[in-house]
Each structure stands twice: as structure tokens, then as C-alpha cells.
Amino acid sequence: WTTIMFLYQDLDRKKTEYSVVRGLGRVTIIGEGIQDTPGVVARMRETLEGEGIKIQGMTSSDITVSCLVLANEVEATIHALHAEFIQN
């Protein structure tokens, strides 16, 4: 599974803080021109929030939108996104 580190740097105080989150999984939706389709990221976020799944991070490209969720929520995430984007 994925490990992610969040880094925060306060240049005024010359202080750097970080936290490490382990046990994450990445779920990706793929589609040609996904970035040209308005509302995909919002639909993904709203769907997962509605299922009580907290998104730990998101990335996107021209053909993908990926989210990081807790590893034990990967299966529920896949089912929720499938229902939203494929069955609807």
C-alpha cells in the first residue's frame, strides 16, 4: 500500500513540520478527455463523502483522476465510484 508524507514549511519561523500516513490505497478513474468534462472531481469527492470515505489526497492528469483513501476503504471506494460513474 501507499505511504504519503505531508510537508509544511514555515519560512518566517525557519521551521519545517511533516506527518506520515501509512496504509493508503490509490483508486483511479480513467477516461479520455476526463479533464474536459466539468464536475468529475466534484462528483468523485461528493460520492465518497456521501459514503463517509475521507479522501487523503487527490491528483489528476488529462485522462485520470486519482484519490488516496485508507487501505481498508479501497473496496468501498471502488464500489461507490462504479455506482456513480458506470451504473448512473
Side-chain angles (χ1 to χ4, degrees):
W1 296 103
T2 302
T3 301
I4 189 168
M5 184 174 82
F6 297 98
L7 180 65
Y8 171 76
Q9 194 169 31
D10 185 339
L11 298 177
D12 292 333
R13 296 186 200 160
K14 297 181 181 157
K15 180 179 175 184
T16 300
E17 297 178 13
Y18 68 91
S19 63
V20 177
V21 178
R22 299 182 196 282
L24 300 175
R26 180 175 63 184
V27 177
T28 303
I29 56 175
I30 302 168
E32 189 174 327
I34 203 165
Q35 289 296 80
D36 298 328
T37 306
V40 173
V41 172
R43 276 178 69 190
M44 184 181 216
R45 183 176 289 125
E46 289 167 7
T47 298
L48 297 182
E49 285 175 358
E51 295 293 321
I53 298 169
K54 183 177 179 188
I55 297 172
Q56 304 292 321
M58 290 186 86
T59 61
S60 63
S61 72
D62 290 341
I63 62 167
T64 66
V65 178
S66 299
C67 65
L68 293 172
V69 297
L70 295 177
N72 64 351
E73 296 180 328
V74 167
E75 189 171 342
T77 300
I78 292 168
H79 288 294
L81 295 176
H82 183 267
E84 176 65 25
F85 288 96
I86 303 300
Q87 294 177 340
N88 284 341

